[in-house]
């Protein structure tokens, strides 16, 4: 994973915590949430306040995500809004946290100048012991306050002020006045500077969860279904359940709900270029398995390797090549059914509210397209990367750093035709993390 970290493709854009004041606030919040503390004086945090170094120190990558269901968070600065979310168990968690921070930015900025804000993404499920239990999650509510309870105290002070203004004998109520003065010393002037966080609640109808091998849940579409990434799951409270091997059923599901469109027929893009890039990735994967040298391989190099390993190119490549011949050379229209290995490589999500979720599913169904896998399904990308040969790792890192990161927005617009919210913000190389972070988390210095 060191290659990814060096290029800012993993643990990029985390927020560095290195001041004694912030470390002390973090520990106070950590103790408040889960009764733990860190002895580290320098570490990095994601949008939720999770730190891979602290996770390694505590021996618990879920120290802010007990049972992987109710995500807790620690905000030291509103700068965390641009950070990624590590170890995500639900596809909606980062967008919820990001929206919460943005909607309350002014209030959170004021609060975090004095204390850490600790909170939780709360739902009615506390244990993910069965797949069916995950379907009980309908809404996610954000609860947050400083570790000293500033927001709650401000609300109490506001109620006291209203009482003071409305009760006839309030001017003579020495106890009430003393309570107001004491509370104001902790909260400040809540009349001029109100301390109030918006109460935010989010529907959880369509989502992906990492539990039980990965499950895609689509409940608010005309024809609801669940698609599971592992073994078949029975008795789920939804009309239809498919596995990733049920290709025809998934294709029909996507079509009935009007969730996808064909890349080759999409308007305003160079479909042939997109398909050729996917073909290059497939050639690269085959060549890497054969031990070929892919150091800074160009498109011309990949074309030569494709010719060299022509007999080994899989059906995914053959199907995409037939589409390109139709598009560029007036070749016959290739009949690529949903059972053809190339089928899902030819699709992308239509621009709708669940486009991110659909593109994540398509990435899992077309894993040889390493660019889409990296953009849309980072969890699967990192797991897959760990088992690739070094030749493939070198090429993928070089390609993503050299050709993708230089124009992320342009690449996403070309690939998906709309702003892809699943994409993390601009990542910066984190050379200082190399000594701390190992293949799946921090393995750095302990105190």
């Amino acid at each position: 994973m060191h290659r990814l970290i060096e290029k800012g493709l993993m643990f990029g854009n985390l927020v560095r915590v290195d001041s004694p004041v912030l470390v002390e606030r973090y520990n106070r919040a950590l103790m408040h949430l889960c009764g733990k503390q860190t002895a580290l004086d320098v570490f990095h945090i994601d949008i939720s306040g999770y730190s891979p170094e602290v996770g390694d120190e505590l021996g618990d990558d879920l120290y802010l995500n007990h049972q992987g269901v109710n995500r807790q968070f620690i905000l030291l600065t509103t700068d965390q809004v641009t950070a990624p979310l590590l170890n995500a168990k639900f596809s909606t968690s980062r967008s919820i946290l990001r929206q919460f921070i943005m909607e309350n930015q002014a209030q959170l900025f004021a609060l975090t100048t004095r204390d850490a804000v600790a909170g939780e993404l709360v739902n009615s499920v506390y244990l993910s012991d069965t797949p069916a239990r995950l379907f009980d999650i309908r809404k996610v509510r954000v609860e947050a306050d400083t570790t000293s309870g500033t927001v709650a105290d401000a609300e109490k002070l506001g109620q006291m002020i209203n009482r003071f203004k409305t009760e006839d004998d309030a001017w003579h109520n020495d106890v009430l006045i003393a309570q107001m003065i004491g509370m104001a010393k902790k909260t400040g002037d809540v009349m001029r500077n109100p301390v109030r966080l918006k109460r935010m609640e989010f529907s959880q109808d369509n989502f992906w969860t990492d539990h039980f091998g990965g499950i895609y849940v689509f409940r608010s579409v005309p024809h609801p279904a669940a698609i599971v990434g592992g073994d078949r799951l029975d008795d789920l409270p939804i009309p239809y359940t498919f596995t990733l091997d049920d290709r025809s059923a998934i294709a029909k599901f996507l079509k009935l709900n009007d969730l996808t469109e064909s890349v080759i027929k999409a308007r305003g893009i160079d479909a042939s270029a997109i398909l050729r890039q996917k073909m290059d990735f497939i050639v690269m994967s085959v060549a890497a398995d054969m031990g070929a040298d892919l150091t800074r391989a160009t498109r011309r190099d990949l074309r030569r390797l494709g010719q060299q390993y022509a007999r080994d190119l899989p059906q995914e490549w053959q199907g995409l090549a037939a589409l390109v011949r139709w598009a560029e050379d007036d070749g016959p229209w290739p009949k690529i059914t949903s059972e053809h290995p190339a089928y899902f490589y030819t699709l992308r999500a239509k621009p709708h509210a669940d486009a991110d979720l659909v593109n994540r599913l398509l990435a899992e169904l077309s894993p040889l397209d390493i660019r889409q896998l990296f953009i849309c399904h980072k969890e699967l990308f990192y797991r897959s990367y760990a088992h690739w040969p070094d030749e493939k790792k070198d090429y993928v890192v070089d390609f993503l750093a050299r050709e993708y990161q230089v124009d992320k927005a342009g690449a996403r617009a070309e690939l998906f035709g709309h702003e892809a919210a699943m994409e993390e913000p601009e990542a910066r190389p984190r050379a200082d993390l190399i000594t701390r972070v190992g293949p799946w988390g921090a393995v750095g210095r302990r105190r």
Side-chain angles (χ1 to χ4, degrees):
M1 295 294 168
H2 284 66
R3 301 174 181 86
L4 294 171
I5 300 170
E6 287 173 347
K7 299 295 185 180
L9 299 170
M10 186 178 188
F11 301 124
N13 217 43
L14 296 180
V15 175
R16 181 182 174 90
V17 180
D18 56 7
S19 77
V21 172
L22 291 182
V23 172
E24 190 274 332
R25 290 179 186 174
Y26 187 86
N27 268 326
R28 196 161 62 239
L30 200 56
M31 179 62 69
H32 176 76
L33 289 175
C34 54
K36 299 177 181 179
Q37 289 193 323
T38 176
L40 300 174
D41 50 19
V42 178
F43 50 90
H44 301 79
I45 58 175
D46 68 3
I47 189 172
S48 73
Y50 167 79
S51 167
E53 297 102 324
V54 174
D56 177 70
E57 179 196 22
L58 300 177
D60 182 8
D61 286 336
L62 297 179
Y63 70 91
L64 285 182
N65 196 12
H66 184 63
Q67 300 292 340
V69 178
N70 289 274
R71 185 98 188 197
Q72 296 174 309
F73 60 89
I74 298 172
L75 299 179
L76 297 179
T77 169
T78 53
D79 290 344
Q80 287 171 237
V81 72
T82 64
L85 178 65
L86 306 180
N87 294 335
K89 293 296 182 180
F90 290 89
S91 59
T92 54
S93 296
R94 182 178 181 271
S95 62
I96 290 174
L97 282 168
R98 189 169 184 270
Q99 188 170 340
F100 172 74
I101 296 173
M102 293 179 69
E103 290 288 329
N104 295 279
Q105 193 154 12
Q107 300 292 348
L108 290 171
F109 179 82
L111 290 170
T112 54
T113 59
R114 302 166 57 184
D115 198 359
V117 172
E120 186 172 350
L121 306 185
V122 182
N123 62 70
S124 60
V125 175
Y126 301 112
L127 184 66
S128 57
D129 55 342
T130 66
R133 193 181 291 263
L134 296 172
F135 286 75
D136 292 334
I137 301 175
R138 293 286 177 174
K139 293 183 178 180
V140 175
R141 186 177 69 258
V142 183
E143 293 183 355
D145 200 345
T146 64
T147 57
S148 57
T150 304
V151 175
D153 289 342
E155 185 173 350
K156 292 178 183 177
L157 178 57
Q159 294 171 353
M160 291 180 187
I161 292 172
N162 290 336
R163 180 182 165 192
F164 182 78
K165 288 180 176 181
T166 55
E167 291 184 1
D168 293 336
D169 60 346
W171 283 97
H172 306 289
N173 191 334
D174 293 336
V175 174
L176 176 61
I177 293 173
Q179 289 175 338
M180 290 170 58
I181 293 173
M183 195 72 74
K185 289 179 180 178
K186 294 194 293 182
T187 65
D189 188 346
V190 297
M191 299 301 292
R192 293 185 179 180
N193 303 293
V195 181
R196 185 178 296 111
L197 296 174
K198 292 182 180 180
R199 299 182 184 276
M200 304 185 71
E201 191 173 74
F202 300 82
S203 295
Q204 191 90 336
D205 291 325
N206 304 331
F207 62 90
W208 167 86
T209 175
D210 191 47
H211 294 284
F212 302 102
I215 306 175
Y216 296 84
V217 178
F218 292 88
R219 290 188 289 204
S220 66
V221 295
H223 305 278
I227 301 168
V228 299
D231 296 332
R232 186 176 298 278
L233 301 174
D234 297 321
D235 300 324
L236 295 183
I238 199 164
Y240 299 99
T241 302
F242 313 123
T243 70
L244 293 177
D245 293 329
D246 298 325
R247 297 175 62 86
S248 293
I250 294 174
K252 185 176 181 180
F253 162 80
L254 295 172
K255 186 174 183 179
L256 285 174
N257 291 297
D258 197 27
L259 295 175
T260 58
E261 63 184 4
S262 169
V263 171
I264 201 71
K265 296 180 180 179
R267 297 180 179 180
I269 63 171
D270 186 348
S272 295
I274 293 175
L275 296 180
R276 284 191 176 278
Q277 184 71 79
K278 293 173 184 280
M279 292 166 61
D280 285 347
F281 294 147
I282 295 171
V283 170
M284 174 274 300
S285 183
V286 171
D289 289 339
M290 297 295 182
D293 182 9
L294 296 170
T295 306
R296 298 190 69 83
T298 63
R299 177 155 290 180
R300 179 178 297 177
D301 296 328
L302 291 174
R303 189 182 307 122
R304 176 182 55 79
L305 289 169
Q307 295 168 353
Q308 181 178 346
Y309 299 112
R311 295 182 181 276
D312 300 300
L313 295 177
Q315 287 300 305
E316 289 90 338
W317 188 94
Q318 305 294 346
L320 295 178
L323 269 177
V324 171
R325 284 194 295 271
W326 172 83
E328 294 184 347
D329 303 325
D330 295 324
W333 172 254
K335 189 174 182 180
I336 299 177
T337 67
S338 56
E339 290 298 323
H340 195 290
Y343 179 76
F344 291 108
Y345 288 82
T346 69
L347 300 180
R348 70 178 189 181
K350 285 189 172 181
H352 49 73
D354 295 309
D356 296 352
L357 183 62
V358 172
N359 280 325
R360 178 189 287 264
L361 172 62
L362 292 175
E364 189 158 3
L365 290 164
S366 52
L368 294 176
D369 185 349
I370 52 95
R371 179 171 55 180
Q372 179 157 335
L373 191 64
F374 177 77
I375 297 173
C376 303
H377 202 330
K378 282 189 171 57
E379 295 81 9
L380 181 57
F381 175 88
Y382 293 138
R383 287 198 293 266
S384 302
Y385 178 94
H387 303 288
W388 290 343
D390 286 339
E391 292 80 8
K392 184 171 181 178
K393 290 179 180 178
D394 288 337
Y395 174 86
V396 170
V397 170
D398 180 66
F399 171 83
L400 292 174
R402 176 167 44 88
E403 295 195 27
Y404 168 65
Q405 294 227 97
V406 295
D407 185 16
K408 289 183 175 183
R412 295 196 302 273
E414 179 183 12
L415 291 172
F416 308 114
H418 57 93
E419 182 60 25
M422 85 287 287
E423 173 58 22
E424 304 294 358
E426 198 67 30
R428 298 188 295 270
R430 305 301 304 234
D432 54 339
L433 272 178
I434 298 297
T435 58
R436 292 181 175 270
V437 180
W440 297 113
V443 292
R445 306 181 187 90
R446 302 173 185 266
R447 291 173 60 106

